[in-house]
Amino acid sequence: MDQKSMLRRIGGLIVVSVAVLGIFVLRLVEFQLIKGKEFLGQAESVTSYEFSISAARGEIVDRYGRSLASNQSGYNLVINKLTLTGDLNETIRQLIMILQENGEEWNDTIPLDSGENGAYQFTDGEDTAAQKRLSTLKEKLGLQQYATANQVMARIVETYELEEFDPYWQRLIGGVRYQMQLEEFSVQNSFVLAKNISARTVATVKERSLTLTGAEVVETSYRVYEDGTLLPHYLGSVGSITSEQWWVTDENGTVTTPLRDKGYNMNDVIGQSGLEAYAEERLRGKDGTQQVTRDRNGVIVSSEVLEVPQPGETVVTTINRDLQAAVNEALANLITTMQQTKADNKGGRVTSGAIVVLDVKTGGILAIANYPSYDLNLYQTNYSEYSQDPNLPLMRRATSGLYTPGSSFKPAVALDGLLSGTITGSSTVFCARTFTLYDDYQPICQMINHGVGPIDVVHALTHSCNTFFYDTGHKLGLEHFDEMATRLGLATETGFELGEATGSLTHTTDENYSNGLELQAAIGQGNTQVTPIQLATYANTLANKGTRYKTHIVAGYRDTNTGELIEEVQPEVVESIEDTVGAFSLIEQGMLGAARASSALKNYPLNIAVKTGSPQRWEKDHTGKYYTNSTVIAYGPVEDPQIAIGAVLEWGGGGSNLLPLIANVFDAYYSENSSNLDPVAEGQLLP
């Protein structure tokens, strides 16, 4: 190629390069100078929002890993401000119409309703929580606390621009709008209008998605209980966060939001009672985060999960599900049978009862039953019925019911006498039926199957001789045997995690104290009141010859994804009573004799130690005799105790009526229902 041709080519390339460079320069000038503000505005109008992704709630299982509380998929109807383009009030109206057509409920807690002649009225009661809700309503609407219901409704119409709607829709839409304000509805906090909606509602909302902008069907999970009657009082319940839980006012009048500080949203579900509330921090899991970005026209341009939600932990309980079901049934059957077959003052009037079964080796609760009871799955639906039932099915009798123990208290007095040296195994008291120590109070001993004469501690327990314990209790002194009763687990906290009544013993400082009260306290009456769970703990301590374990229902926690053990609750000794004289063995002999002397247990194939009680009630029958409750403590087999029991029947007609229940519990414990299962609790949690 000659030199001229080369120069022409190079010149051409230079011209092309200059032209291309010129185009770039012109475009840069256009971007930076001519349209710079426009493009900057577009860039800055892109906005990102972060939303929480709810974590799945952890399960609650029994000691063998069998489910007690789990989750089920469902759908919520949600209003998302980020995608809402139409009129909010009209959107709410359309959604309520769909919910009404399908028989659904929606999120509206405003305590306001229309009365006669178009007048409005407040619907809440007079309790503190109701008054606080009403006060919050007026405060949120900027009204004085003396504002009337009509004034509140007028402000709702004005605040939420509902003038174009008729009064019927003003109330419905206004209720939802206020709830949205209460739950801080925003582009980052969607509002749950309805929970667990039906398939028909899901389909209708999706079919109308083009006109119902902002309305979304969101998949979620709901708490379900495989058998709602199994352990309702102690599994507890979950529910939406209330305004009282969200806004907390301290003693100085300062309002705080502690749940928000813990990462909750106001429309979250939280444990409200029982294990669900106790283990809330372990069960709730860790919510994830989703980032949604939209441009200035409201078009969503991207959606990204920044953090995947982590499910809550699995709570392992000490409960044996099969035994729990059997104990529930046995208690209910005993009470209904007694109502049908017993005389009025012999147990025919029995209304209710409770029983607790403990693992002797650990203090873990294997079964805990209350009667009457209820179905946890129907709790919200049937709450009014449950709460108005005169037999109080919602009452946690096993842990909160306070009862006079009667003669089941006598082993505590006997043990104190033996350990203190006040009596020995061969000491006797002469029983002349009437105890004549005091002139002003001379109670009669109603000992069965034993004549007048001397009696020792073993036979006094076997035949329940009041005179022996009047005498021993008087020699010991009231406060002395009270201390022993407390060490054994009576009228003191047992360690139960879900809350319990403490009860009380009879003291010399009591306002009604007298010589007679001292004697009554020695046989478990007087002012002494204990719970069934304390009776079971007491029986457990006797079975362990003085070692008292913390009574508990939580065995540990597991990782829901991997099953890996996170934490195990070890059995905890809270009291040790030293015995150098064989006192516990003597108590056991007397209690074993009591079982063999009863018609219900005399031929039972296992050796069971029992002590019944027939504490008097205040009420009298038509003959002038006092009605009685029934109490019992039991453990066995005595050669190597496995379970300990405490039980009570209200209007039970005497302790012996509970002995068939003791036999039924041991039958159930030794049945083969769970023999092929591996325990996953209390020192035996699987790796």
Side-chain angles (χ1 to χ4, degrees):
M1 181 182 296
D2 59 21
Q3 187 174 5
K4 289 183 179 181
S5 297
M6 178 65 73
L7 290 174
R8 283 197 298 272
R9 289 191 175 186
I10 292 173
L13 289 172
I14 292 173
V15 171
V16 171
S17 298
V18 169
V20 171
L21 181 61
I23 292 170
F24 276 113
V25 170
L26 290 173
R27 294 296 291 171
L28 285 173
V29 169
E30 180 183 14
F31 290 155
Q32 296 294 326
L33 299 179
I34 301 174
K35 296 185 177 181
K37 291 184 178 181
E38 178 183 347
F39 288 134
L40 178 62
Q42 290 181 2
E44 291 179 344
S45 69
V46 175
T47 308
S48 295
Y49 303 90
E50 290 188 359
F51 295 87
S52 293
I53 306 174
S54 297
R57 194 169 182 81
E59 293 191 359
I60 302 175
V61 300
D62 82 341
R63 70 195 313 264
Y64 297 105
R66 298 173 296 191
S67 181
L68 299 174
S70 59
N71 302 310
Q72 178 177 299
S73 295
Y75 295 93
N76 287 348
L77 177 54
V78 171
I79 298 177
N80 186 341
K81 192 171 185 177
L82 195 62
T83 59
L84 181 68
T85 59
D87 179 70
L88 176 57
N89 288 335
E90 180 57 27
T91 298
I92 293 171
R93 190 179 77 87
Q94 294 291 333
L95 292 175
I96 289 177
M97 289 176 65
I98 294 172
L99 294 170
Q100 286 177 326
E101 290 171 2
N102 296 326
E104 310 264 19
E105 296 182 350
W106 58 89
N107 191 3
D108 175 1
T109 63
I110 191 169
L112 185 69
D113 205 352
S114 57
E116 297 179 1
N117 303 320
Y120 288 89
Q121 59 188 12
F122 297 123
T123 56
D124 266 1
E126 297 297 325
D127 60 273
T128 303
Q131 291 303 306
K132 186 174 181 180
R133 281 192 294 272
L134 185 56
S135 175
T136 301
L137 169 63
K138 294 177 180 179
E139 180 183 336
K140 291 287 184 183
L141 294 173
L143 293 170
Q144 297 295 330
Q145 291 301 311
Y146 54 74
T148 66
N150 280 342
Q151 289 171 330
V152 168
M153 192 63 219
R155 182 58 62 88
I156 287 174
V157 172
E158 177 188 354
T159 301
Y160 304 124
E161 300 177 347
L162 300 172
E163 292 84 357
E164 66 180 81
F165 296 94
D166 62 46
Y168 174 79
W169 284 107
Q170 285 176 346
R171 168 59 190 86
L172 295 184
I173 299 171
V176 172
R177 289 295 302 272
Y178 170 71
Q179 194 69 30
M180 296 172 86
Q181 178 183 346
L182 202 63
E183 297 185 17
E184 301 176 345
F185 174 63
S186 67
V187 291
Q188 291 178 296
N189 187 27
S190 298
F191 176 71
V192 180
L193 179 62
K195 295 181 177 180
N196 201 17
I197 57 177
S198 65
R200 184 175 178 181
T201 298
V202 171
T204 304
V205 173
K206 288 188 173 182
E207 287 171 1
R208 299 174 58 180
S209 60
L210 293 178
T211 57
L212 290 174
T213 61
E216 298 179 356
V217 173
V218 177
E219 186 172 2
T220 186
S221 61
Y222 289 93
R223 208 54 161 174
V224 291
Y225 304 95
E226 279 65 17
D227 181 349
T229 66
L230 194 65
L231 200 68
H233 298 86
Y234 304 104
L235 283 179
S237 62
V238 297
S240 299
I241 296 172
T242 65
S243 57
E244 293 79 20
Q245 291 171 322
W246 188 253
W247 288 289
V248 177
T249 305
D250 63 20
E251 57 186 13
N252 299 319
T254 303
V255 178
T256 59
T257 52
L259 289 178
R260 174 189 283 162
D261 297 339
K262 292 180 180 180
Y264 287 91
N265 294 314
M266 194 177 179
N267 57 10
D268 284 347
V269 166
I270 191 172
Q272 298 289 356
S273 62
L275 279 165
E276 295 282 19
Y278 173 79
E280 171 63 25
E281 293 300 314
R282 313 295 290 257
L283 288 166
R284 65 173 291 210
K286 183 179 179 182
D287 288 349
T289 306
Q290 180 182 23
Q291 186 181 73
V292 176
T293 304
R294 70 176 185 179
D295 61 21
R296 64 174 181 174
N297 296 317
V299 177
I300 295 176
V301 295
S302 68
S303 178
E304 179 184 5
V305 175
L306 301 180
E307 187 175 0
V308 177
Q310 300 298 318
E313 297 171 12
T314 295
V315 177
V316 182
T317 69
T318 60
I319 295 294
N320 178 332
R321 193 177 70 179
D322 286 346
L323 182 63
Q324 178 68 46
V327 169
N328 284 352
E329 183 179 5
L331 178 61
N333 286 345
L334 174 66
I335 290 176
T336 54
T337 299
M338 288 175 58
Q339 290 170 340
Q340 296 166 4
T341 62
K342 296 286 186 179
D344 178 69
N345 61 353
K346 298 294 183 180
R349 186 177 283 203
V350 62
T351 58
S352 49
I355 180 171
V356 180
V357 183
L358 301 183
D359 182 337
V360 169
K361 312 298 184 184
T362 65
I365 299 172
L366 298 175
I368 180 168
N370 297 276
Y371 182 91
S373 187
Y374 63 98
D375 189 332
L376 193 53
N377 287 317
L378 301 176
Y379 175 74
Q380 292 184 339
T381 304
N382 294 349
Y383 177 77
S384 294
E385 176 186 340
Y386 292 147
S387 61
Q388 294 171 18
D389 189 324
N391 289 324
L392 307 177
L394 298 178
M395 182 179 177
R396 306 197 312 174
R397 286 178 168 83
T399 51
S400 298
L402 292 172
Y403 305 95
T404 302
S407 294
S408 59
F409 186 82
K410 289 175 179 176
V413 177
L415 185 68
D416 190 38
L418 291 166
L419 292 178
S420 66
T422 304
I423 61 172
T424 66
S426 58
S427 299
T428 61
V429 172
F430 189 85
C431 180
R433 298 292 182 176
T434 301
F435 190 67
T436 58
L437 178 65
Y438 298 117
D439 292 335
D440 59 344
Y441 182 69
Q442 297 186 348
I444 296 174
C445 177
Q446 298 177 338
M447 179 173 49
I448 332 172
N449 301 327
H450 189 83
V452 173
I455 187 169
D456 61 23
V457 64
V458 171
H459 290 89
L461 286 169
T462 294
H463 301 291
S464 204
C465 175
N466 284 354
T467 298
F468 184 93
F469 292 97
Y470 291 147
D471 185 78
T472 303
H474 171 69
K475 290 175 181 177
L476 287 167
L478 184 59
E479 304 297 344
H480 201 279
F481 64 74
D482 273 357
E483 181 182 354
M484 177 57 68
T486 301
R487 295 182 70 188
L488 288 166
L490 295 175
T492 187
E493 293 182 354
T494 67
F496 183 62
E497 304 94 323
L498 309 183
E500 57 183 320
T502 304
S504 62
L505 298 174
T506 305
H507 296 285
T508 55
T509 55
D510 292 347
E511 290 184 4
N512 63 337
Y513 180 74
S514 64
N515 293 332
L517 199 64
E518 175 195 56
L519 300 183
Q520 286 297 307
I523 62 168
Q525 299 222 162
N527 297 333
T528 301
Q529 289 190 312
V530 300
T531 62
I533 198 171
Q534 289 173 350
L535 289 174
T537 302
Y538 164 41
N540 208 54
T541 309
L542 294 175
N544 281 308
K545 305 297 187 286
T547 298
R548 176 158 69 93
Y549 286 104
K550 177 181 178 181
T551 302
H552 59 288
I553 197 170
V554 176
Y557 303 90
R558 289 187 172 280
D559 185 294
T560 296
N561 288 328
T562 66
E564 179 184 357
L565 176 64
I566 298 171
E567 179 184 343
E568 181 177 2
V569 176
Q570 296 292 340
E572 180 181 345
V573 175
V574 294
E575 181 67 71
S576 294
I577 301 172
E578 186 178 356
D579 176 14
T580 59
V581 296
F584 283 100
S585 294
L586 289 172
I587 301 300
E588 185 171 271
Q589 288 179 42
M591 293 175 65
L592 181 58
R596 293 306 181 199
S598 71
S599 59
L601 296 176
K602 64 181 179 181
N603 295 318
Y604 196 74
L606 298 176
N607 290 319
I608 302 172
V610 303
K611 187 68 195 81
T612 60
S614 305
Q616 289 182 347
R617 299 179 61 92
W618 291 107
E619 303 88 349
K620 293 183 179 181
D621 64 16
H622 66 282
T623 67
K625 292 183 178 180
Y626 287 102
Y627 284 100
T628 58
N629 285 339
S630 304
T631 65
V632 70
I633 58 171
Y635 66 85
V638 296
E639 298 82 3
D640 182 19
Q642 300 298 311
I643 60 174
I645 302 168
V648 171
L649 293 178
E650 297 181 18
W651 304 86
S656 61
N657 284 335
L658 272 167
L659 294 182
L661 179 63
I662 299 301
N664 289 336
V665 171
F666 274 90
D667 287 344
Y669 179 77
Y670 282 103
S671 71
E672 298 180 358
N673 291 343
S674 303
S675 61
N676 62 338
L677 299 175
D678 293 320
V680 294
E682 300 195 289
Q684 305 174 81
L685 288 165
L686 296 178

